[in-house]
Amino acid sequence: MVKVTGLEGVVAGETDIGLVDGEKGYLVYRGYWAKELAVTRTYEEVAYLLWNGHLPSAEELERLKSEMAESRQLPGYIRQIIELMPASVPMMLVLQSTVAALGEQENTSWPPALTQAVRLASILPTIIAYRYRTLNGLTPLEPLSELGHAANYLYMLTGEKPTKAHVQALSAYLILCMEHGMNASTFAARVVLSTESDMNAAVAGAIGAMKGPLHGGAPYEVIAMLEDIGTKERAEPWLRKALESGTKIMGFGHRIYKTKDPRAEALQIATQEMIGKDPSFDLALHVEATAIHLLQEYKPGRRLFTNVEFYAAAILKALELSPDIFTPTFTAGRIIGWTAHIMEQAANNRIFRPQSVYTGPMPQNEF
């Protein structure tokens, strides 16, 4: 008997939200190349696209921006929950708990509505920033309505209005986090919603899946590698030593993409303004070029290209974001895809009820 594990290769549904084709290096959002959207559109525009199926008009975009700005505020009881949680509680568990609690007090009608998706996407960065500043002995900041989504997130974390280059880099990163097919967390969200539970419960389930290191693991190892290399002069000898000892070079190769990760391509374009202005980013680009050259030398014929984790690491390090908010920041992007899938599931819902193969013993007696 063939052992059935992981559901790999099993089609669990149809969607017109996104396409992932690893062989061809495709990542498509609603008929648009994701890598093009990341460098030509804002977070709000791509969120609107994934939620509504088309890019917004100028009027629709302004309305969404206004709705998101109004939806960023934390209710008092959510602030209390965040403050009462021990410092040892990880950020992802804080997100999961507060999203669930928010659903018990706010509109969580069935089927889920777009207004609920807007609320969740808008408030998630505020929760992250509130918890981060509280833990670090800093006064939490109120969101600024005049700032866009990515700029406001950086402001609430740092207390300073960010540069255009940093906003562009973070916006591109968040856009490329939004959607990636029927991944574990998206599937979890659709399974929970299929029971006719509410959107907040489905998102809380998705956050639980994202919390696992096999899914939402942040690019810590890439950053550790870059920090260990330290300077451009050390890059080639460090990488040669690693390759000759059989050590894996982090940030290269991908389970799905067998060509260059389209998300890495987009982030490379989106961060051009940072070249020459941020030493840590310049080092990352030098390490990438050196690693690709050496991988071709040591592993000829292997399709090992830069993946999104490498550029994510370079950007997050350049933005000076704390490692404990890497996965939560990824989550702040993916919330758009989750909520889009949740609404798609609700529109043609049927509860997920797969079969399993029983492999245990049978009773020895007749009953």
Side-chain angles (χ1 to χ4, degrees), residues 16-39:
D16 58 14
I17 297 170
L19 165 70
V20 181
D21 187 326
E23 288 295 329
K24 296 177 181 177
Y26 290 173
L27 180 58
V28 176
Y29 290 178
R30 300 275 196 188
Y32 293 86
W33 298 116
K35 60 184 180 182
E36 180 181 354
L37 293 169
V39 299

Side-chain angles (χ1 to χ4, degrees), residues 6 8-9 112 170 225-226 301 313 324 328 354:
E8 191 165 348
L170 179 60
M225 177 183 75
L226 293 173
D324 62 337

